[in-house]
Amino acid sequence: MKELLSNVWVKRAVGVFNLVYFAVICMLTGATFLYDLEFTEGQEQSFFTLYVAASVIFLVLMIYSRDVIVTKIMSMVLPLVVFLLMLFNMYDWILIIPPLVMALVMFFVAGTHETAKVVMGTIYLLMYVLGLVVFFVFRLLFGGTSTYTELNANLDRNSDVYKFYSSEFTKICDVTRDDNVLSPNGKYRIIIYDVQNSDKGGVNICVVPHGQDKELRFFTLKQKGIKKTISNKGIRGVVPDVGWSVDEDGTLVVLYRLSPTSEQKKTSVTVMPDKQYLEFLGIR
């Protein structure tokens, strides 16, 4: 067994196998750049357990093959991938911590030349520090302090938003049912957002694509960055009436009434805006 484990070809094979973990982290980073990741109810613990277990196993394998060229290269590149993963999923520590620990340990443990470690370590230190500063500055400038919460039947009963709308929750469930918010052609969905900010807040009515989400075992990747704002004049605490209609010329329109006493308005939905890839910076 000792001879087998010390065999250079076994170590090289393990080094190549470690690419599986690197590929998964890269795919997860790319997926969360394009989509919002929402865990399936009750699956967070299972995912975290599997995620940590896989990270520990691959960490052991990478330490074993630390002198293999493939592992050396991964140890130099993984911190960059994890940095991007952190930017796209800020505060979602379940996704960030395991690969971050992996990247830190392997950067120092891998048999890479010390000069390369010093140079790349300096670059990554500056990138993490300055990059995060720039990230939060952009979030502050473009995202402000507004917090958007989707109003629907799945609203967290323990949240402050639910308490604020508790008397309107029955109406929220009625207005946001699928047969009311889905467009006749099934391509679009109306979403109502509660907006909390430093002012009095508000309610936004938006239209997003429907049917572009990707449902997986532990989570759903929800399309993001494509959103047409129908109205941002709603009164916080008042659930608007919304629905779909089709004009005589076949144009889809959203019908909405911001309050029981206001007049009904309509907005056509013909073309959706281009995808906003920088939404993770707070740019909407």
Side-chain angles (χ1 to χ4, degrees):
M1 178 62 71
K2 184 177 180 180
E3 292 181 358
L4 179 64
L5 293 177
S6 61
N7 188 294
V8 65
W9 287 104
V10 173
K11 291 184 177 181
R12 288 173 180 173
V14 172
V16 173
F17 179 69
N18 289 335
L19 287 171
V20 172
Y21 184 84
F22 182 75
V24 169
I25 298 302
C26 287
M27 288 189 292
L28 190 60
T29 302
T32 52
F33 173 64
L34 298 173
Y35 298 89
D36 273 329
L37 188 150
E38 291 189 8
F39 286 102
T40 304
E41 186 175 355
Q43 292 294 329
E44 284 191 37
Q45 186 64 44
S46 300
F47 173 81
F48 185 66
T49 301
L50 182 62
Y51 196 40
V52 171
S55 297
V56 171
I57 291 172
F58 275 98
L59 178 59
V60 172
L61 294 177
M62 286 188 184
I63 292 175
Y64 166 70
S65 61
R66 60 186 178 276
D67 294 322
V68 176
I69 185 65
V70 175
T71 304
K72 292 179 183 179
I73 294 174
M74 278 192 291
S75 70
M76 291 290 103
V77 179
L78 190 57
L80 173 61
V81 178
V82 174
F83 175 70
L84 296 176
L85 181 68
M86 183 184 299
L87 293 185
F88 303 153
N89 301 275
M90 187 58 67
Y91 304 119
D92 197 346
W93 303 117
I94 290 180
L95 294 178
I96 297 171
I97 291 178
L100 179 61
V101 172
M102 168 81 83
L104 287 173
V105 172
M106 285 312 304
F107 184 83
F108 292 105
V109 171
T112 314
H113 195 279
E114 291 301 319
T115 302
K117 286 185 179 182
V118 171
V119 173
M120 294 304 297
T122 303
I123 293 174
Y124 282 139
L125 181 61
L126 291 173
M127 182 183 72
Y128 271 76
V129 174
L130 297 180
L132 289 176
V133 170
V134 172
F135 171 80
F136 286 115
V137 168
F138 268 84
R139 293 280 293 189
L140 185 62
L141 290 176
F142 295 104
T145 57
S146 298
T147 301
Y148 293 80
T149 304
E150 183 177 345
L151 299 178
N152 56 32
N154 297 320
L155 190 62
D156 185 0
R157 305 298 197 274
N158 297 317
S159 66
D160 292 335
V161 175
Y162 175 79
K163 295 174 183 176
F164 195 81
Y165 287 90
S166 58
S167 61
E168 294 275 304
F169 188 67
T170 300
K171 183 176 181 180
I172 289 175
C173 295
D174 181 58
V175 170
T176 60
R177 67 186 190 278
D178 283 348
D179 62 342
N180 186 58
V181 296
L182 286 180
S183 63
N185 60 9
K187 292 183 178 180
Y188 307 109
R189 172 184 288 272
I190 299 172
I191 293 182
I192 303 174
Y193 290 102
D194 168 76
V195 183
Q196 295 174 272
N197 53 35
S198 56
D199 196 9
K200 58 184 178 181
V203 172
N204 288 7
I205 303 172
C206 301
V207 170
V208 299
H210 176 68
Q212 297 184 7
D213 299 342
K214 301 182 184 299
E215 295 186 6
L216 302 175
R217 179 178 177 182
F218 295 106
F219 50 78
T220 299
L221 295 173
K222 293 198 169 187
Q223 181 64 267
K224 69 176 180 180
I226 305 176
K227 185 183 301 178
K228 180 180 178 67
T229 300
I230 303 300
S231 171
N232 57 5
K233 305 297 184 182
I235 303 170
R236 188 161 190 250
V238 178
V239 180
D241 294 305
V242 298
W244 289 95
S245 183
V246 181
D247 279 347
E248 294 180 357
D249 60 358
T251 302
L252 279 174
V253 295
V254 175
L255 304 176
Y256 64 96
R257 181 181 286 110
L258 297 179
S259 68
T261 58
S262 64
E263 64 176 329
Q264 186 181 72
K265 298 180 180 180
K266 69 177 183 179
T267 299
S268 62
V269 179
T270 54
V271 179
M272 293 293 287
D274 293 334
K275 185 177 179 68
Q276 175 54 266
Y277 290 98
L278 300 180
E279 190 173 279
F280 71 97
L281 292 176
I283 302 174
R284 294 178 176 270

